[in-house]
């Protein structure tokens, strides 16, 4: 008779705040004991051989089986997306249930569940994308959905089909503040981008590299500053997604120094790619096209500094997978202009290895920071901690045995997504997840998948601490109530 379902022995267990040596016991999908020399017997025992054992990655920015604002379907469904995540050491994803205008949010959520339930092999929660904040959505659907565990939503300051006005953003922020949700913002100035793009196209400059010109840094910096100002007015916490450049990051840093609850996210493309990658013959550069675009080495240094000093809280993939064909990246084949290319790059599977190799191995961040940036901070920010994001007694048994010395050359054919290419082809990486455990199930081992379709579970998110207001709204809002106006929240 076994005492436990699984024991991993001889592990160097790393969490966001410590490293210990010992054994981990798992029972009924949860961590049952962590001891330096654990007695008892497991139905299955694994010798980690002194390797690191890290919390399973939590990727809080993923697009799976989602139709873009232009109507283009992602290349990964909930099977290929979650399999790819698992092989990269990620055991929880938070993709988007994306509302397009005219859609009921409740129906959108139902549709994404129908897509995910039979296919996902790892656990998942959902953020919402809100593009149509009607009185029905604001008054009924969102408050009810937040109570049901959808406690974060992304909004856009750009894209014709998704963009919200500042007025609408204030409505959403006030609602999130009142109901306990966190708003995630895509911060780029729409009119700056449109104006630049119009003049570039007008002059015949349509190649992919001009995407990085149209999406100017100042467009990101201005919108970041404006988004933070809107959050300040109503005292609502906020997360700025996919941050790519120095001025926006510095604005975030200064907001945090003032004590504001504004969080920031960055992604592999902002440490691993530059705008030069888009400069390829014909339309090939579309494979490196994402928004905001990759910038230059100085911007990469600003991102590293912010990962190191804690200004940026999460390192997410922003996996937005499109094949390089007319159904994906280049809807008009080699006639596709940069305005028409599908926006986004894949990165689910290389997220942890790239950050480990470039960050931990090169001394830019510590191992503890790596764990926080790839797992713990995501779980905390979105109301999944301590069930996810750590290795602790009572938490879900989601962890990864990590071979810090494994040398890997990234090749798309060795990855598990359905994209057909990787923007990191040929890159040398040191460090790779070798065994991946999700709720006590060994789902990746010896390069093979051992998880059934549909074995992943939906995770309702709690209202996170990150969404709690500071109690410091703008003086004018406070004055309103002093002068007898009805409180706004
Ligand atoms: N924003 C994202 O979050 N992902 C892909 C493209 C975009 O604009
Ligand atoms: Zn975005
Ligand atoms: Zn995204």
């Amino acid at each position: 008779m076994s005492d436990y379902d699984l024991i991993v022995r001889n592990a160097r267990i790393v969490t966001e705040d410590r490293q210990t040596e010992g054994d981990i016991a798992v029972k009924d999908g949860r961590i049952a004991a962590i001891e330096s020399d654990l007695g008892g017997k497991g139905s299955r025992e694994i010798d980690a051989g002194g390797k690191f054992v890290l919390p399973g990655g939590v990727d809080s920015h993923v697009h799976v089986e989602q139709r873009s604002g232009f109507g283009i379907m992602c290349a990964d469904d909930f099977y290929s997306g979650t399999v790819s995540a698992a092989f990269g050491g990620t055991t929880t994803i938070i993709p988007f249930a994306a509302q397009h205008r005219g859609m009921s949010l409740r129906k959108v959520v139902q549709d994404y569940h129908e897509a995910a339930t039979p296919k996902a092999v790892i656990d998942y929660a959902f953020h919402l994308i809100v593009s149509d904040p009607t009185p029905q959505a604001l008054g009924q659907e969102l408050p009810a959905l937040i109570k049901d565990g959808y406690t974060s939503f992304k909004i856009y300051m750009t894209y014709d089909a998704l963009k919200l006005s500042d007025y609408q953003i204030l409505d959403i922020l006030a609602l999130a503040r009142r109901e306990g949700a966190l708003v995630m913002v895509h911060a780029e100035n729409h009119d700056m981008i449109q104006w630049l793009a119009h003049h570039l196209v007008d002059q015949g400059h349509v190649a992919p590299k001009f995407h990085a010109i149209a999406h100017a840094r100042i467009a990101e910096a201005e919108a970041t500053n404006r988004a933070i100002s809107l959050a300040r007015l109503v005292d609502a916490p906020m997360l700025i997604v996919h941050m790519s450049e120095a001025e926006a990051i510095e604005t975030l840093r200064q907001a945090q120094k003032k004590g504001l609850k504004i969080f920031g996210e960055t992604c592999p493309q902002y440490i691993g790619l530059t705008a030069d990658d888009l400069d390829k013959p014909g339309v090939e550069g579309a494979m490196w096209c994402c928004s905001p675009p990759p910038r230059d080495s100085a911007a990469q240094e600003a991102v590293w500094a912010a990962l190191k000093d804690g200004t940026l809280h999460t390192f997410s993939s922003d996996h937005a997978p499109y094949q390089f064909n007319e159904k994906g990246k280049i809807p008009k084949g080699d006639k596709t202009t940069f305005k028409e290319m599908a926006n986004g790059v894949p990165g689910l599977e290389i997220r942890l290895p790239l950050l480990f190799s470039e960050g931990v191995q090169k001394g830019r961040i510590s191992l503890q920071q790596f764990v926080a940036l790839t797992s713990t901070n995501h779980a905390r920010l979105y109301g999944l901690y301590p069930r996810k994001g750590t290795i602790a007694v009572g938490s879900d048994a989601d962890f990864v045995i990590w071979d810090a010395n494994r040398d890997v050359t990234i090749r798309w054919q060795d990855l598990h997504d359905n994209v057909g290419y990787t923007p990191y082809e040929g890159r040398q990486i040191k460090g790779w997840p070798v065994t991946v455990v999700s709720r006590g199930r060994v789902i990746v081992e010896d390069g093979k998948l051992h998880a059934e379709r549909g074995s992943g579970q939906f995770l309702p998110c709690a209202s996170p601490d990150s969404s709690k207001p500071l109690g410091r709204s703008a003086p004018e809002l406070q004055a309103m109530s002093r002068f007898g106006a009805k409180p706004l929240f």
Side-chain angles (χ1 to χ4, degrees):
M1 222 351 225
S2 307
D3 306 287
Y4 301 106
D5 302 328
L6 170 69
I7 298 179
V8 177
R9 298 196 186 273
N10 198 10
R12 284 160 76 193
I13 305 161
V14 187
T15 59
E16 62 167 346
D17 56 3
R18 75 186 65 152
Q19 184 174 319
T20 51
E21 294 186 8
D23 308 331
I24 304 170
V26 175
K27 197 162 176 65
D28 299 330
R30 300 240 169 127
I31 296 177
I34 303 174
E35 287 176 24
S36 57
D37 190 9
L38 187 83
K41 204 173 155 11
S43 308
R44 165 104 205 257
E45 301 219 355
I46 297 175
D47 182 0
K51 292 191 186 65
F52 294 129
V53 177
L54 314 172
V58 179
D59 193 341
S60 58
H61 188 152
V62 180
H63 304 268
V64 180
E65 223 166 318
Q66 184 190 322
R67 208 169 276 288
S68 77
F70 294 110
I72 303 172
M73 193 59 173
C74 283
D76 281 310
D77 67 7
F78 279 91
Y79 185 69
S80 61
T82 54
V83 169
S84 180
F87 274 98
T90 288
T91 50
T92 301
I93 56 166
I94 316 183
F96 296 92
Q99 180 198 37
H100 294 286
R101 291 193 182 135
M103 291 178 172
S104 137
L105 275 164
R106 186 53 87 177
K107 172 80 169 63
V108 165
V109 167
Q110 202 180 318
D111 289 348
Y112 276 86
H113 275 286
E114 274 167 26
T117 308
K119 297 183 205 142
V121 303
I122 58 169
D123 294 350
Y124 54 94
F126 283 114
H127 309 291
L128 309 175
I129 285 177
V130 182
S131 65
D132 202 2
T134 58
Q136 161 80 4
L138 291 172
Q140 278 124 56
E141 289 190 311
L142 278 170
L145 285 163
I146 293 167
K147 287 191 180 59
D148 290 347
Y150 309 88
T151 59
S152 44
F153 19 96
K154 183 177 176 193
I155 56 171
Y156 289 78
M157 297 172 85
T158 185
Y159 297 124
D160 287 320
L162 298 168
K163 168 187 187 306
L164 302 186
S165 67
D166 292 353
Y167 191 104
Q168 290 172 310
I169 294 175
L170 286 169
D171 273 345
I172 301 254
L173 286 167
L175 174 133
R177 182 194 197 280
R178 196 175 59 234
E179 305 288 340
L182 183 66
V183 177
M184 310 158 73
V185 180
H186 178 130
E188 288 188 287
N189 180 306
H190 184 69
D191 285 330
M192 283 186 189
I193 295 168
Q194 291 299 98
W195 189 83
L196 287 166
H198 171 83
H199 288 287
L200 285 164
V201 172
D202 206 38
Q203 293 171 31
H205 299 308
V206 296
K209 68 180 172 194
F210 292 105
H211 172 80
I213 307 278
H215 286 250
R217 286 156 221 248
I218 184 100
E220 183 177 340
E222 185 283 327
T224 300
N225 186 46
R226 183 157 37 101
I228 292 172
S229 303
L230 297 171
R232 282 179 68 185
L233 178 69
V234 294
D235 181 29
M238 170 183 280
L239 176 124
I240 312 284
V241 293
H242 46 49
M243 298 192 77
S244 76
E245 71 89 43
E247 193 178 326
I249 290 172
E250 187 53 29
T251 302
L252 170 67
R253 185 179 283 116
Q254 293 310 320
Q256 291 169 351
K257 281 197 176 142
K258 287 190 191 112
L260 301 173
K261 274 174 93 169
I262 312 287
F263 305 94
E265 171 201 81
T266 195
C267 317
Q269 50 268 37
Y270 306 119
I271 59 163
L273 306 176
T274 69
D276 290 344
D277 287 306
L278 280 82
D279 188 5
K280 298 275 188 319
V283 290
E284 197 189 325
M287 288 192 270
W288 287 265
C289 161
C290 55
S291 293
R295 310 281 185 186
D296 60 10
S297 58
Q300 290 181 342
E301 286 315 311
V303 170
W304 280 117
L307 289 169
K308 189 174 174 65
D309 74 9
T311 303
L312 292 168
H313 281 78
T314 50
F315 186 79
S316 311
S317 67
D318 192 5
H319 183 74
Y322 300 102
Q323 292 183 347
F324 186 63
N325 60 30
E326 297 189 7
K327 287 205 173 111
K329 275 280 174 195
I330 44 169
K332 296 190 180 159
D334 59 10
K335 301 277 178 302
T336 308
T337 69
F338 75 83
K339 286 297 290 166
E340 296 155 334
M341 300 177 311
N343 233 323
V345 289
L348 248 179
E349 197 162 339
I350 57 79
R351 178 180 72 114
L352 270 69
L354 186 74
L355 188 68
F356 186 86
S357 191
E358 290 296 314
V360 180
Q361 298 281 26
K362 296 192 175 167
R364 289 165 159 144
I365 56 169
S366 70
L367 194 52
Q368 266 72 40
Q369 286 177 312
F370 172 77
V371 167
L373 286 163
T374 55
S375 179
T376 318
N377 290 354
H378 302 248
R380 281 191 202 283
L381 271 175
Y382 298 110
L384 293 172
Y385 186 87
R387 177 168 178 192
K388 303 293 187 186
T390 191
I391 298 178
V393 173
S395 295
D396 279 1
D398 290 5
F399 50 77
V400 174
I401 303 178
W402 191 272
D403 185 348
N405 295 317
R406 181 170 293 195
D407 290 302
V408 174
T409 304
I410 306 248
R411 304 261 176 239
W412 177 74
Q413 69 209 41
D414 300 327
L415 302 178
H416 300 82
D417 61 52
N418 190 33
V419 181
Y421 79 94
T422 166
Y424 307 96
E425 186 76 24
R427 208 62 74 96
Q428 302 292 325
I429 297 278
K430 197 175 192 63
W432 202 263
V434 286
T435 304
V436 180
V437 177
S438 156
R439 270 183 291 103
R441 308 167 298 148
V442 179
I443 58 169
V444 174
E445 192 174 34
D446 299 328
K448 293 202 176 57
L449 181 74
H450 304 277
E452 296 293 316
R453 276 175 180 267
S455 57
Q457 289 182 357
F458 169 64
L459 304 162
C461 296
S463 274
D465 279 349
S466 57
S467 72
K468 292 210 173 89
L470 290 167
R472 262 176 38 188
S473 53
E476 292 75 9
L477 264 182
Q478 296 166 23
M480 276 175 75
S481 42
R482 278 207 307 280
F483 296 151
K486 208 169 93 202
L488 295 181
F489 30 72

